[in-house]
Amino acid sequence: MNPNSKRFWTPGPVIVGAGPSGLAAAACLKQRGVPSLILEKESCLASLWKFKTYDRLQLHLPKKVCQLPYVQFPRQYPTYPTKQQFITYLEAYARHFSIDPLFGQEVQSAKYDATMACWWLKTNEYEFVCRWLIVATGENAEPVIPKIAGISEFQRTLLHTSTYKNGAEFRGHKVLVVGCGNSGMEISLDLYKNGAQVSIVVRDKLHILPKQILGRSTFALSMWLLKWFPVHVVDKFLLLCSRLTLGDTNETGIGRPEIGPLAQKNSVGKTPVLDDGAFAKIKSGEIKVVRGIRRFTTKGAEFEDGTVEELDTVILATGYRSNVTSWLQEASFFNQRNGYPEDPLPNNWKGKNGVYSVGFTRQGLLGVSRDAHKVADDIALQWKSQTRHLRFQS
């Protein structure tokens, strides 16, 4: 290869993304004797976790179901590791498998060449050619900024959770949190604990479940029950436990959907809130629930019930979206509207012509590990067949 060339052939798969999904894929491939190359646009691995998450963030699920393939969390870690503990774990994971991503390489386009039967990837600096392409950029690549009337006219502090760190700087502020998922609830609680006056927008019905039931993780208990009972039975059990533990959420103005929490997760991918203390503050009125926003004003917001309030700060806990369709030129694999694989589970991990996905199952880190094993098994089979063919030719 010409050392001055900016085009490189990679014998194994190219993995786009050096977060948990990319690391898990590389590790599983290495365990099967398949080399790989990770391209990462940022200057470090797990950049989302390092730079775009709030300080009090913990894993929402127990460490046992969040560990990546082949390496357990340190025994001394708590059941729900902190943000920094998880980052430390990922860095140790990369060292354990000698995974060395190529940083500062933002993939601008990836196109399959049917004549050569390979993928061409163009980054901000180089071009890479490979037989297999693994999309591991994850479901949370870009912040979602909602289109709310007047949002550009709001003259006070407006930020997305991707830039929120902690509530210390908002002490005494009147803060509106837009979004009532796990992040919105946790940030609302963090703001309250730091002395802010907090309101949270709850437009739609949602499921709030206790983080633990009978001393066990609600998620782990659900997974165990699903081995023996159908989803609708487990949902009834979860809702009964929630009613006994949290009380009736309707009394706070937060209605529950007609469909159960697990059924809703399976059908539309919406994750229930696993309460870590915010709901008690909502019940007591210390965190105020407000309806949807009709429009923003220069100094506050008008809500759907007609009330108008002045605000010091608005925090958008409105989530993230996939950005795969902005660079992957393969329209049949990823849905152009939502950036997820077109095929539903369990067939979402493999496309045509050697393209794969890891981490797009809406099942968190557990889904990442399952995807990584499937993808590595499939590529390893082809790799070994190709290697045998080359040996036979020589």
Side-chain angles (χ1 to χ4, degrees):
M1 180 182 292
N2 183 348
N4 297 318
S5 173
K6 288 196 172 184
R7 180 176 297 163
F8 302 94
W9 163 255
T10 58
V14 167
I15 302 169
V16 183
S21 298
L23 296 178
C28 286
L29 287 164
K30 178 161 281 193
Q31 288 296 100
R32 292 158 177 78
V34 181
S36 62
L37 171 67
I38 297 181
L39 301 179
E40 168 56 49
K41 70 176 182 179
E42 303 295 348
S43 60
C44 63
L45 57 83
S47 61
L48 177 68
W49 282 86
K50 287 184 177 180
F51 303 134
K52 296 183 179 181
T53 53
Y54 43 95
D55 294 343
R56 80 181 306 269
L57 177 64
Q58 293 179 295
L59 296 185
H60 294 135
L61 303 180
K63 62 182 180 181
K64 186 175 181 180
V65 297
C66 292
Q67 60 198 24
L68 299 185
Y70 308 113
V71 178
Q72 296 181 352
F73 281 97
R75 185 172 299 177
Q76 68 271 21
Y77 275 23
T79 301
Y80 302 94
T82 66
K83 162 188 171 176
Q84 188 54 54
Q85 287 172 329
F86 185 57
I87 291 171
T88 301
Y89 167 77
L90 293 178
E91 292 173 338
Y93 190 87
R95 290 194 299 272
H96 178 83
F97 290 102
S98 299
I99 299 171
D100 189 18
L102 193 57
F103 295 115
Q105 299 301 310
E106 182 174 4
V107 176
Q108 298 173 343
S109 67
K111 186 176 182 180
Y112 183 71
D113 187 327
T115 303
M116 295 183 62
C118 61
W119 286 89
W120 291 73
L121 283 79
K122 182 180 179 181
T123 73
N124 50 302
E125 286 189 89
Y126 307 114
E127 289 185 355
F128 298 87
V129 185
C130 59
R131 173 67 186 86
W132 302 281
L133 170 63
I134 300 174
V135 179
T137 48
E139 303 164 338
N140 301 323
E142 295 181 352
V144 172
I145 307 299
K147 295 180 180 179
I148 302 174
I151 194 169
S152 61
E153 300 171 12
F154 182 66
Q155 296 178 0
R156 305 288 176 82
T157 302
L158 175 69
L159 66 153
H160 187 270
T161 51
S162 57
T163 59
Y164 175 90
K165 295 304 176 185
N166 61 69
E169 64 181 290
F170 303 104
R171 182 176 301 276
H173 286 209
K174 196 167 186 178
V175 184
L176 178 68
V177 178
V178 182
C180 53
N182 280 294
S183 294
M185 288 290 191
E186 289 178 4
I187 286 175
S188 295
L189 182 61
D190 186 53
L191 287 162
Y192 167 79
K193 289 182 175 180
N194 279 279
Q197 300 175 53
V198 189
S199 298
I200 184 169
V201 176
V202 181
R203 289 185 58 192
D204 303 316
K205 295 180 179 181
L206 77 152
H207 284 296
I208 302 176
L209 303 177
K211 195 170 185 177
Q212 292 189 316
I213 294 175
L214 304 175
R216 294 185 60 183
S217 155
T218 299
F219 176 83
L221 182 60
S222 299
M223 294 302 99
W224 181 79
L225 289 171
L226 286 172
K227 295 178 181 179
W228 310 98
F229 303 100
V231 169
H232 74 275
V233 173
V234 179
D235 271 342
K236 287 182 178 179
F237 172 77
L238 293 177
L239 292 175
L240 174 62
C241 290
S242 179
R243 180 68 178 261
L244 294 173
T245 305
L246 302 177
D248 185 0
T249 62
N250 283 286
E251 294 178 354
T252 65
I254 302 176
R256 289 191 181 276
E258 298 301 320
I259 187 173
L262 297 182
Q264 185 181 46
K265 174 69 174 174
N266 292 340
S267 61
V268 298
K270 187 171 183 179
T271 303
V273 171
L274 296 176
D275 179 59
D276 202 21
F279 186 68
K281 301 304 177 185
I282 290 174
K283 285 182 68 176
S284 67
E286 292 165 289
I287 295 177
K288 181 182 175 184
V289 171
V290 296
R291 293 295 123 200
I293 302 168
R294 183 176 295 170
R295 65 182 180 89
F296 280 103
T297 65
T298 57
K299 297 181 180 181
E302 178 185 343
F303 299 101
E304 290 182 352
D305 62 3
T307 60
V308 178
E309 290 189 22
E310 287 196 6
L311 303 165
D312 297 304
T313 304
V314 173
I315 298 175
L316 302 175
T318 45
Y320 296 81
R321 65 164 62 93
S322 161
N323 69 354
V324 178
T325 56
S326 68
W327 55 267
L328 180 62
Q329 299 178 36
E330 212 288 354
S332 65
F333 187 29
F334 278 81
N335 184 290
Q336 297 298 302
R337 182 180 57 82
N338 63 19
Y340 281 83
E342 287 279 10
D343 290 336
L345 288 170
N347 303 313
N348 63 305
W349 57 276
K350 182 178 180 179
K352 299 177 181 178
N353 302 318
V355 63
Y356 300 84
S357 75
V358 175
F360 290 88
T361 62
R362 293 188 174 98
Q363 294 183 340
L365 293 165
L366 180 63
V368 165
S369 294
R370 289 172 176 171
D371 282 350
H373 280 298
K374 290 177 184 178
V375 170
D377 283 340
D378 198 70
I379 293 177
L381 196 63
Q382 300 172 62
W383 175 267
K384 291 174 183 177
S385 175
Q386 179 175 287
T387 303
R388 284 196 298 268
H389 180 66
L390 290 173
R391 286 176 178 171
F392 178 77
Q393 285 185 323
S394 62

